[in-house]
């Protein structure tokens, strides 16, 4: 970087012809592009979050022979990122895994957008979009679900009792007697016994 800076500064010399100045600028830009192309950002693959607090693994590849510092700018509408939405990380040569601790604000699917730049933000390396699907339920959602389940259970018990009463009326059997005899049968039996 220091060498490129010196070369770029030399292009300000009035003694350098315009074509040579342009060639030098293009050569620097070409070399920068080749270096940047050897840094691979996380691929776009769906991440499933099964708990409210989870970790999203980000996989980078540094194809250069030396460590590289990059800045990550993270955006996700339904996720809260621990440690802030901007951080500077060092990528060692080879594969690198960076664990991103997140908290899901709501269930559903959203995009986790990561913009990778130089530490000063002047050079863009790449931008990645990772689909994130959350199946978690918030505290309010869990409470609403529990209330709905309790209501459904109460309705089911009430409906079962109502159906049992209707069947008892249709057959003439009292629901509390186990022998199938209705109170009317007992009265009639008692009356016949008294007459006889």
């Amino acid at each position: 970087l220091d060498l490129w800076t010196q070369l770029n500064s030399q292009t300000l010399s009035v003694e350098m012809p315009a074509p040579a100045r342009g060639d030098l600028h293009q050569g620097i830009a070409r070399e920068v592009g080749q270096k940047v192309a050897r840094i691979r950002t996380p691929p776009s693959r769906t991440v499933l979050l099964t708990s409210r607090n989870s970790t999203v693994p980000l996989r980078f590849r540094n194809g250069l022979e030396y460590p590289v510092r990059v800045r990550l700018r993270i955006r996700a509408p339904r996720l809260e990122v621990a440690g802030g939405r901007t951080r500077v990380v060092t990528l060692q040569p080879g594969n690198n895994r960076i664990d991103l601790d997140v908290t899901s604000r709501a269930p559903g699917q959203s995009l986790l957008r990561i913009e990778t730049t130089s530490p000063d933000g002047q050079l863009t390396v790449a931008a990645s979009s990772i689909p994130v699907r959350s199946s978690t339920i918030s505290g309010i959602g869990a409470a609403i679900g529990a209330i709905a389940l309790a209501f459904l259970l109460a309705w089911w018990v009430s409906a079962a009792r109502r159906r049992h009463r209707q069947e008892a009326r249709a057959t003439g059997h009292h629901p509390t007697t186990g022998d199938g005899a209705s109170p009317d049968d007992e009265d009639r039996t008692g009356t016949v016994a008294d007459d006889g």
Side-chain angles (χ1 to χ4, degrees), residues 62-105:
N62 178 9
L64 301 170
E65 296 79 20
Y66 46 85
V68 176
R69 293 174 69 239
V70 295
R71 172 174 290 175
L72 306 180
R73 290 194 177 104
I74 305 158
R75 290 182 296 146
R78 295 189 180 191
L79 298 176
E80 185 176 329
V81 182
R85 297 187 175 271
T86 303
R87 65 192 63 196
V88 176
V89 298
T90 300
L91 302 179
Q92 299 296 331
N95 294 322
N96 293 261
R97 172 176 166 163
I98 297 171
D99 290 331
L100 199 64
D101 294 326
V102 298
T103 301
S104 178
R105 293 177 177 167

mmCIF file of all heavy atoms in Angstrom, residues 62-105:
data_model
loop_
_atom_site.group_PDB
_atom_site.id
_atom_site.type_symbol
_atom_site.label_atom_id
_atom_site.label_comp_id
_atom_site.label_asym_id
_atom_site.label_seq_id
_atom_site.Cartn_x
_atom_site.Cartn_y
_atom_site.Cartn_z
ATOM 1 N N ASN A 62 -9.305 -15.864 2.676
ATOM 2 C CA ASN A 62 -8.255 -14.925 2.324
ATOM 3 C C ASN A 62 -7.237 -15.665 1.475
ATOM 4 O O ASN A 62 -6.465 -16.482 1.978
ATOM 5 C CB ASN A 62 -7.610 -14.349 3.593
ATOM 6 C CG ASN A 62 -6.475 -13.399 3.281
ATOM 7 O OD1 ASN A 62 -6.247 -13.030 2.131
ATOM 8 N ND2 ASN A 62 -5.746 -13.006 4.306
ATOM 9 N N GLY A 63 -7.234 -15.398 0.180
ATOM 10 C CA GLY A 63 -6.316 -16.067 -0.738
ATOM 11 C C GLY A 63 -4.961 -15.405 -0.825
ATOM 12 O O GLY A 63 -4.120 -15.838 -1.633
ATOM 13 N N LEU A 64 -4.711 -14.385 -0.015
ATOM 14 C CA LEU A 64 -3.410 -13.719 -0.016
ATOM 15 C C LEU A 64 -2.467 -14.420 0.957
ATOM 16 O O LEU A 64 -2.890 -15.219 1.788
ATOM 17 C CB LEU A 64 -3.589 -12.246 0.358
ATOM 18 C CG LEU A 64 -4.509 -11.453 -0.590
ATOM 19 C CD1 LEU A 64 -4.817 -10.086 -0.020
ATOM 20 C CD2 LEU A 64 -3.872 -11.319 -1.966
ATOM 21 N N GLU A 65 -1.200 -14.071 0.877
ATOM 22 C CA GLU A 65 -0.195 -14.732 1.710
ATOM 23 C C GLU A 65 -0.002 -14.036 3.047
ATOM 24 O O GLU A 65 0.876 -14.431 3.826
ATOM 25 C CB GLU A 65 1.158 -14.782 0.968
ATOM 26 C CG GLU A 65 1.143 -15.618 -0.306
ATOM 27 C CD GLU A 65 0.522 -14.883 -1.480
ATOM 28 O OE1 GLU A 65 0.455 -13.632 -1.427
ATOM 29 O OE2 GLU A 65 0.078 -15.558 -2.420
ATOM 30 N N TYR A 66 -0.781 -13.039 3.331
ATOM 31 C CA TYR A 66 -0.604 -12.262 4.560
ATOM 32 C C TYR A 66 -1.973 -11.907 5.133
ATOM 33 O O TYR A 66 -2.988 -11.918 4.404
ATOM 34 C CB TYR A 66 0.203 -10.991 4.282
ATOM 35 C CG TYR A 66 -0.251 -10.241 3.051
ATOM 36 C CD1 TYR A 66 -1.309 -9.331 3.104
ATOM 37 C CD2 TYR A 66 0.378 -10.460 1.826
ATOM 38 C CE1 TYR A 66 -1.722 -8.665 1.980
ATOM 39 C CE2 TYR A 66 -0.044 -9.789 0.698
ATOM 40 C CZ TYR A 66 -1.088 -8.887 0.768
ATOM 41 O OH TYR A 66 -1.514 -8.233 -0.361
ATOM 42 N N PRO A 67 -2.038 -11.602 6.427
ATOM 43 C CA PRO A 67 -3.326 -11.230 7.029
ATOM 44 C C PRO A 67 -3.858 -9.925 6.439
ATOM 45 O O PRO A 67 -3.097 -9.046 6.039
ATOM 46 C CB PRO A 67 -3.002 -11.067 8.516
ATOM 47 C CG PRO A 67 -1.718 -11.791 8.717
ATOM 48 C CD PRO A 67 -0.963 -11.676 7.427
ATOM 49 N N VAL A 68 -5.174 -9.834 6.386
ATOM 50 C CA VAL A 68 -5.838 -8.644 5.837
ATOM 51 C C VAL A 68 -6.898 -8.176 6.824
ATOM 52 O O VAL A 68 -7.676 -8.986 7.336
ATOM 53 C CB VAL A 68 -6.500 -8.959 4.478
ATOM 54 C CG1 VAL A 68 -7.269 -7.758 3.962
ATOM 55 C CG2 VAL A 68 -5.464 -9.393 3.468
ATOM 56 N N ARG A 69 -6.909 -6.889 7.106
ATOM 57 C CA ARG A 69 -7.936 -6.315 7.973
ATOM 58 C C ARG A 69 -9.044 -5.741 7.101
ATOM 59 O O ARG A 69 -8.776 -4.996 6.141
ATOM 60 C CB ARG A 69 -7.343 -5.218 8.871
ATOM 61 C CG ARG A 69 -6.350 -5.773 9.891
ATOM 62 C CD ARG A 69 -5.665 -4.689 10.680
ATOM 63 N NE ARG A 69 -6.594 -4.034 11.585
ATOM 64 C CZ ARG A 69 -6.879 -2.731 11.569
ATOM 65 N NH1 ARG A 69 -6.332 -1.938 10.683
ATOM 66 N NH2 ARG A 69 -7.719 -2.224 12.451
ATOM 67 N N VAL A 70 -10.279 -6.099 7.430
ATOM 68 C CA VAL A 70 -11.444 -5.602 6.694
ATOM 69 C C VAL A 70 -12.493 -5.106 7.683
ATOM 70 O O VAL A 70 -12.508 -5.508 8.853
ATOM 71 C CB VAL A 70 -12.062 -6.696 5.784
ATOM 72 C CG1 VAL A 70 -11.101 -7.099 4.673
ATOM 73 C CG2 VAL A 70 -12.493 -7.904 6.592
ATOM 74 N N ARG A 71 -13.345 -4.237 7.202
ATOM 75 C CA ARG A 71 -14.452 -3.737 8.012
ATOM 76 C C ARG A 71 -15.747 -4.360 7.507
ATOM 77 O O ARG A 71 -16.001 -4.386 6.295
ATOM 78 C CB ARG A 71 -14.540 -2.219 7.932
ATOM 79 C CG ARG A 71 -15.786 -1.656 8.608
ATOM 80 C CD ARG A 71 -15.763 -0.156 8.630
ATOM 81 N NE ARG A 71 -14.734 0.310 9.563
ATOM 82 C CZ ARG A 71 -14.412 1.591 9.721
ATOM 83 N NH1 ARG A 71 -15.006 2.515 9.007
ATOM 84 N NH2 ARG A 71 -13.485 1.934 10.585
ATOM 85 N N LEU A 72 -16.552 -4.848 8.447
ATOM 86 C CA LEU A 72 -17.854 -5.433 8.118
ATOM 87 C C LEU A 72 -18.944 -4.474 8.539
ATOM 88 O O LEU A 72 -18.989 -4.043 9.698
ATOM 89 C CB LEU A 72 -18.043 -6.781 8.822
ATOM 90 C CG LEU A 72 -16.957 -7.837 8.616
ATOM 91 C CD1 LEU A 72 -17.312 -9.097 9.381
ATOM 92 C CD2 LEU A 72 -16.747 -8.124 7.148
ATOM 93 N N ARG A 73 -19.822 -4.146 7.608
ATOM 94 C CA ARG A 73 -21.024 -3.375 7.921
ATOM 95 C C ARG A 73 -22.204 -4.322 7.784
ATOM 96 O O ARG A 73 -22.449 -4.867 6.714
ATOM 97 C CB ARG A 73 -21.176 -2.187 6.974
ATOM 98 C CG ARG A 73 -20.145 -1.102 7.205
ATOM 99 C CD ARG A 73 -20.544 0.178 6.485
ATOM 100 N NE ARG A 73 -19.600 1.243 6.748
ATOM 101 C CZ ARG A 73 -18.688 1.662 5.882
ATOM 102 N NH1 ARG A 73 -18.599 1.093 4.702
ATOM 103 N NH2 ARG A 73 -17.865 2.641 6.202
ATOM 104 N N ILE A 74 -22.943 -4.507 8.868
ATOM 105 C CA ILE A 74 -23.983 -5.536 8.943
ATOM 106 C C ILE A 74 -25.348 -4.876 9.050
ATOM 107 O O ILE A 74 -25.543 -3.973 9.872
ATOM 108 C CB ILE A 74 -23.737 -6.455 10.161
ATOM 109 C CG1 ILE A 74 -22.321 -7.033 10.088
ATOM 110 C CG2 ILE A 74 -24.770 -7.557 10.230
ATOM 111 C CD1 ILE A 74 -21.784 -7.483 11.403
ATOM 112 N N ARG A 75 -26.274 -5.334 8.214
ATOM 113 C CA ARG A 75 -27.655 -4.836 8.270
ATOM 114 C C ARG A 75 -28.609 -6.026 8.230
ATOM 115 O O ARG A 75 -28.464 -6.910 7.402
ATOM 116 C CB ARG A 75 -27.954 -3.909 7.100
ATOM 117 C CG ARG A 75 -27.231 -2.570 7.166
ATOM 118 C CD ARG A 75 -27.597 -1.688 6.001
ATOM 119 N NE ARG A 75 -27.155 -2.289 4.751
ATOM 120 C CZ ARG A 75 -27.801 -2.175 3.586
ATOM 121 N NH1 ARG A 75 -28.928 -1.517 3.512
ATOM 122 N NH2 ARG A 75 -27.327 -2.736 2.493
ATOM 123 N N ALA A 76 -29.576 -6.008 9.151
ATOM 124 C CA ALA A 76 -30.605 -7.052 9.189
ATOM 125 C C ALA A 76 -31.816 -6.486 9.925
ATOM 126 O O ALA A 76 -31.711 -6.149 11.103
ATOM 127 C CB ALA A 76 -30.095 -8.304 9.879
ATOM 128 N N PRO A 77 -32.963 -6.348 9.250
ATOM 129 C CA PRO A 77 -34.116 -5.696 9.884
ATOM 130 C C PRO A 77 -34.697 -6.443 11.074
ATOM 131 O O PRO A 77 -35.182 -5.831 12.010
ATOM 132 C CB PRO A 77 -35.136 -5.593 8.743
ATOM 133 C CG PRO A 77 -34.713 -6.615 7.742
ATOM 134 C CD PRO A 77 -33.229 -6.742 7.867
ATOM 135 N N ARG A 78 -34.625 -7.771 11.084
ATOM 136 C CA ARG A 78 -35.259 -8.544 12.160
ATOM 137 C C ARG A 78 -34.253 -9.118 13.149
ATOM 138 O O ARG A 78 -34.624 -9.902 14.013
ATOM 139 C CB ARG A 78 -36.077 -9.685 11.573
ATOM 140 C CG ARG A 78 -37.253 -9.218 10.749
ATOM 141 C CD ARG A 78 -38.142 -10.372 10.385
ATOM 142 N NE ARG A 78 -39.272 -9.928 9.608
ATOM 143 C CZ ARG A 78 -40.319 -10.672 9.326
ATOM 144 N NH1 ARG A 78 -40.373 -11.913 9.791
ATOM 145 N NH2 ARG A 78 -41.317 -10.217 8.605
ATOM 146 N N LEU A 79 -32.991 -8.741 13.003
ATOM 147 C CA LEU A 79 -31.963 -9.275 13.885
ATOM 148 C C LEU A 79 -31.244 -8.145 14.610
ATOM 149 O O LEU A 79 -30.956 -7.106 14.020
ATOM 150 C CB LEU A 79 -30.937 -10.090 13.088
ATOM 151 C CG LEU A 79 -31.443 -11.331 12.354
ATOM 152 C CD1 LEU A 79 -30.314 -11.949 11.553
ATOM 153 C CD2 LEU A 79 -32.027 -12.335 13.321
ATOM 154 N N GLU A 80 -30.973 -8.386 15.872
ATOM 155 C CA GLU A 80 -30.150 -7.467 16.648
ATOM 156 C C GLU A 80 -28.767 -8.092 16.780
ATOM 157 O O GLU A 80 -28.626 -9.219 17.242
ATOM 158 C CB GLU A 80 -30.765 -7.244 18.026
ATOM 159 C CG GLU A 80 -30.048 -6.207 18.850
ATOM 160 C CD GLU A 80 -30.756 -5.962 20.172
ATOM 161 O OE1 GLU A 80 -31.995 -6.092 20.220
ATOM 162 O OE2 GLU A 80 -30.059 -5.665 21.150
ATOM 163 N N VAL A 81 -27.749 -7.365 16.320
ATOM 164 C CA VAL A 81 -26.391 -7.896 16.269
ATOM 165 C C VAL A 81 -25.620 -7.469 17.511
ATOM 166 O O VAL A 81 -25.536 -6.276 17.821
ATOM 167 C CB VAL A 81 -25.667 -7.409 14.999
ATOM 168 C CG1 VAL A 81 -24.268 -7.993 14.926
ATOM 169 C CG2 VAL A 81 -26.464 -7.784 13.754
ATOM 170 N N ALA A 82 -25.075 -8.448 18.233
ATOM 171 C CA ALA A 82 -24.295 -8.149 19.440
ATOM 172 C C ALA A 82 -22.986 -7.478 19.037
ATOM 173 O O ALA A 82 -22.342 -7.878 18.074
ATOM 174 C CB ALA A 82 -24.014 -9.438 20.216
ATOM 175 N N GLY A 83 -22.608 -6.448 19.769
ATOM 176 C CA GLY A 83 -21.348 -5.763 19.483
ATOM 177 C C GLY A 83 -21.449 -4.684 18.431
ATOM 178 O O GLY A 83 -20.429 -4.131 18.019
ATOM 179 N N GLY A 84 -22.653 -4.383 17.973
ATOM 180 C CA GLY A 84 -22.813 -3.313 16.990
ATOM 181 C C GLY A 84 -22.827 -3.831 15.562
ATOM 182 O O GLY A 84 -22.504 -4.981 15.290
ATOM 183 N N ARG A 85 -23.197 -2.950 14.658
ATOM 184 C CA ARG A 85 -23.355 -3.333 13.260
ATOM 185 C C ARG A 85 -22.107 -3.076 12.420
ATOM 186 O O ARG A 85 -22.121 -3.327 11.214
ATOM 187 C CB ARG A 85 -24.559 -2.605 12.653
ATOM 188 C CG ARG A 85 -25.863 -3.003 13.326
ATOM 189 C CD ARG A 85 -27.069 -2.418 12.634
ATOM 190 N NE ARG A 85 -28.286 -2.908 13.238
ATOM 191 C CZ ARG A 85 -28.912 -4.007 12.870
ATOM 192 N NH1 ARG A 85 -28.418 -4.741 11.903
ATOM 193 N NH2 ARG A 85 -30.016 -4.382 13.474
ATOM 194 N N THR A 86 -21.068 -2.555 13.015
ATOM 195 C CA THR A 86 -19.810 -2.328 12.302
ATOM 196 C C THR A 86 -18.673 -2.881 13.136
ATOM 197 O O THR A 86 -18.608 -2.636 14.343
ATOM 198 C CB THR A 86 -19.593 -0.828 12.045
ATOM 199 O OG1 THR A 86 -20.705 -0.312 11.320
ATOM 200 C CG2 THR A 86 -18.328 -0.596 11.246
ATOM 201 N N ARG A 87 -17.782 -3.629 12.495
ATOM 202 C CA ARG A 87 -16.620 -4.165 13.208
ATOM 203 C C ARG A 87 -15.477 -4.371 12.220
ATOM 204 O O ARG A 87 -15.698 -4.614 11.036
ATOM 205 C CB ARG A 87 -16.958 -5.464 13.916
ATOM 206 C CG ARG A 87 -17.317 -6.607 12.986
ATOM 207 C CD ARG A 87 -17.924 -7.758 13.738
ATOM 208 N NE ARG A 87 -19.176 -7.333 14.347
ATOM 209 C CZ ARG A 87 -19.792 -7.999 15.298
ATOM 210 N NH1 ARG A 87 -19.276 -9.106 15.751
ATOM 211 N NH2 ARG A 87 -20.919 -7.560 15.798
ATOM 212 N N VAL A 88 -14.262 -4.269 12.729
ATOM 213 C CA VAL A 88 -13.064 -4.530 11.939
ATOM 214 C C VAL A 88 -12.498 -5.870 12.380
ATOM 215 O O VAL A 88 -12.298 -6.106 13.579
ATOM 216 C CB VAL A 88 -12.022 -3.411 12.117
ATOM 217 C CG1 VAL A 88 -10.733 -3.755 11.366
ATOM 218 C CG2 VAL A 88 -12.575 -2.082 11.624
ATOM 219 N N VAL A 89 -12.266 -6.762 11.419
ATOM 220 C CA VAL A 89 -11.759 -8.101 11.712
ATOM 221 C C VAL A 89 -10.503 -8.347 10.883
ATOM 222 O O VAL A 89 -10.289 -7.723 9.840
ATOM 223 C CB VAL A 89 -12.812 -9.193 11.419
ATOM 224 C CG1 VAL A 89 -14.035 -9.016 12.283
ATOM 225 C CG2 VAL A 89 -13.188 -9.194 9.949
ATOM 226 N N THR A 90 -9.689 -9.263 11.361
ATOM 227 C CA THR A 90 -8.468 -9.657 10.647
ATOM 228 C C THR A 90 -8.666 -11.034 10.050
ATOM 229 O O THR A 90 -8.990 -11.990 10.763
ATOM 230 C CB THR A 90 -7.255 -9.668 11.590
ATOM 231 O OG1 THR A 90 -7.079 -8.354 12.141
ATOM 232 C CG2 THR A 90 -5.998 -10.069 10.842
ATOM 233 N N LEU A 91 -8.475 -11.128 8.743
ATOM 234 C CA LEU A 91 -8.598 -12.403 8.036
ATOM 235 C C LEU A 91 -7.207 -12.979 7.835
ATOM 236 O O LEU A 91 -6.368 -12.390 7.144
ATOM 237 C CB LEU A 91 -9.299 -12.207 6.685
ATOM 238 C CG LEU A 91 -10.691 -11.587 6.709
ATOM 239 C CD1 LEU A 91 -11.225 -11.433 5.283
ATOM 240 C CD2 LEU A 91 -11.643 -12.417 7.551
ATOM 241 N N GLN A 92 -6.964 -14.126 8.435
ATOM 242 C CA GLN A 92 -5.687 -14.812 8.262
ATOM 243 C C GLN A 92 -5.678 -15.519 6.901
ATOM 244 O O GLN A 92 -6.733 -15.798 6.317
ATOM 245 C CB GLN A 92 -5.482 -15.826 9.384
ATOM 246 C CG GLN A 92 -5.442 -15.223 10.774
ATOM 247 C CD GLN A 92 -4.273 -14.287 10.977
ATOM 248 O OE1 GLN A 92 -3.216 -14.437 10.357
ATOM 249 N NE2 GLN A 92 -4.454 -13.290 11.846
ATOM 250 N N PRO A 93 -4.503 -15.815 6.358
ATOM 251 C CA PRO A 93 -4.458 -16.562 5.087
ATOM 252 C C PRO A 93 -5.206 -17.884 5.204
ATOM 253 O O PRO A 93 -5.083 -18.600 6.194
ATOM 254 C CB PRO A 93 -2.954 -16.783 4.880
ATOM 255 C CG PRO A 93 -2.298 -15.672 5.625
ATOM 256 C CD PRO A 93 -3.175 -15.422 6.822
ATOM 257 N N GLY A 94 -6.007 -18.179 4.212
ATOM 258 C CA GLY A 94 -6.810 -19.405 4.214
ATOM 259 C C GLY A 94 -8.237 -19.132 4.634
ATOM 260 O O GLY A 94 -8.761 -18.018 4.477
ATOM 261 N N ASN A 95 -8.895 -20.169 5.182
ATOM 262 C CA ASN A 95 -10.290 -20.066 5.586
ATOM 263 C C ASN A 95 -10.411 -19.414 6.961
ATOM 264 O O ASN A 95 -9.619 -19.690 7.853
ATOM 265 C CB ASN A 95 -10.949 -21.446 5.610
ATOM 266 C CG ASN A 95 -11.037 -22.048 4.215
ATOM 267 O OD1 ASN A 95 -11.294 -21.351 3.249
ATOM 268 N ND2 ASN A 95 -10.809 -23.345 4.113
ATOM 269 N N ASN A 96 -11.410 -18.563 7.098
ATOM 270 C CA ASN A 96 -11.676 -17.867 8.356
ATOM 271 C C ASN A 96 -13.149 -17.994 8.677
ATOM 272 O O ASN A 96 -13.995 -17.845 7.794
ATOM 273 C CB ASN A 96 -11.322 -16.385 8.250
ATOM 274 C CG ASN A 96 -9.833 -16.149 8.084
ATOM 275 O OD1 ASN A 96 -9.141 -15.840 9.033
ATOM 276 N ND2 ASN A 96 -9.328 -16.300 6.857
ATOM 277 N N ARG A 97 -13.436 -18.267 9.945
ATOM 278 C CA ARG A 97 -14.829 -18.309 10.404
ATOM 279 C C ARG A 97 -15.021 -17.229 11.466
ATOM 280 O O ARG A 97 -14.275 -17.151 12.438
ATOM 281 C CB ARG A 97 -15.167 -19.677 11.000
ATOM 282 C CG ARG A 97 -16.536 -19.713 11.662
ATOM 283 C CD ARG A 97 -16.885 -21.078 12.155
ATOM 284 N NE ARG A 97 -18.026 -21.024 13.068
ATOM 285 C CZ ARG A 97 -18.757 -22.062 13.408
ATOM 286 N NH1 ARG A 97 -18.498 -23.248 12.920
ATOM 287 N NH2 ARG A 97 -19.759 -21.921 14.247
ATOM 288 N N ILE A 98 -16.039 -16.407 11.241
ATOM 289 C CA ILE A 98 -16.386 -15.355 12.195
ATOM 290 C C ILE A 98 -17.803 -15.621 12.666
ATOM 291 O O ILE A 98 -18.738 -15.675 11.861
ATOM 292 C CB ILE A 98 -16.283 -13.965 11.542
ATOM 293 C CG1 ILE A 98 -14.830 -13.717 11.122
ATOM 294 C CG2 ILE A 98 -16.764 -12.881 12.490
ATOM 295 C CD1 ILE A 98 -14.640 -12.487 10.296
ATOM 296 N N ASP A 99 -17.964 -15.829 13.969
ATOM 297 C CA ASP A 99 -19.281 -16.101 14.552
ATOM 298 C C ASP A 99 -19.962 -14.786 14.905
ATOM 299 O O ASP A 99 -19.416 -13.977 15.661
ATOM 300 C CB ASP A 99 -19.154 -16.979 15.788
ATOM 301 C CG ASP A 99 -18.740 -18.396 15.420
ATOM 302 O OD1 ASP A 99 -19.073 -18.831 14.308
ATOM 303 O OD2 ASP A 99 -18.074 -19.049 16.245
ATOM 304 N N LEU A 100 -21.137 -14.599 14.353
ATOM 305 C CA LEU A 100 -21.907 -13.386 14.582
ATOM 306 C C LEU A 100 -23.038 -13.712 15.550
ATOM 307 O O LEU A 100 -23.945 -14.477 15.229
ATOM 308 C CB LEU A 100 -22.473 -12.891 13.241
ATOM 309 C CG LEU A 100 -22.921 -11.453 13.143
ATOM 310 C CD1 LEU A 100 -21.745 -10.507 13.346
ATOM 311 C CD2 LEU A 100 -23.560 -11.198 11.793
ATOM 312 N N ASP A 101 -22.971 -13.162 16.760
ATOM 313 C CA ASP A 101 -24.018 -13.402 17.758
ATOM 314 C C ASP A 101 -25.194 -12.470 17.486
ATOM 315 O O ASP A 101 -25.025 -11.248 17.432
ATOM 316 C CB ASP A 101 -23.476 -13.159 19.173
ATOM 317 C CG ASP A 101 -22.409 -14.167 19.556
ATOM 318 O OD1 ASP A 101 -22.519 -15.326 19.114
ATOM 319 O OD2 ASP A 101 -21.465 -13.792 20.280
ATOM 320 N N VAL A 102 -26.373 -13.063 17.300
ATOM 321 C CA VAL A 102 -27.558 -12.285 16.954
ATOM 322 C C VAL A 102 -28.716 -12.654 17.873
ATOM 323 O O VAL A 102 -28.752 -13.738 18.448
ATOM 324 C CB VAL A 102 -27.968 -12.498 15.478
ATOM 325 C CG1 VAL A 102 -26.877 -12.040 14.530
ATOM 326 C CG2 VAL A 102 -28.324 -13.957 15.213
ATOM 327 N N THR A 103 -29.653 -11.738 17.984
ATOM 328 C CA THR A 103 -30.905 -11.960 18.705
ATOM 329 C C THR A 103 -32.043 -11.714 17.739
ATOM 330 O O THR A 103 -32.110 -10.649 17.102
ATOM 331 C CB THR A 103 -31.028 -11.020 19.915
ATOM 332 O OG1 THR A 103 -29.926 -11.253 20.798
ATOM 333 C CG2 THR A 103 -32.325 -11.263 20.663
ATOM 334 N N SER A 104 -32.930 -12.695 17.615
ATOM 335 C CA SER A 104 -34.054 -12.579 16.692
ATOM 336 C C SER A 104 -35.148 -11.719 17.309
ATOM 337 O O SER A 104 -35.590 -11.956 18.421
ATOM 338 C CB SER A 104 -34.597 -13.967 16.353
ATOM 339 O OG SER A 104 -35.707 -13.872 15.499
ATOM 340 N N ARG A 105 -35.583 -10.696 16.574
ATOM 341 C CA ARG A 105 -36.647 -9.813 17.061
ATOM 342 C C ARG A 105 -38.033 -10.359 16.751
ATOM 343 O O ARG A 105 -38.985 -10.090 17.479
ATOM 344 C CB ARG A 105 -36.511 -8.434 16.415
ATOM 345 C CG ARG A 105 -35.270 -7.674 16.844
ATOM 346 C CD ARG A 105 -35.186 -6.368 16.115
ATOM 347 N NE ARG A 105 -34.052 -5.577 16.541
ATOM 348 C CZ ARG A 105 -33.619 -4.517 15.900
ATOM 349 N NH1 ARG A 105 -34.231 -4.109 14.809
ATOM 350 N NH2 ARG A 105 -32.591 -3.842 16.355
#
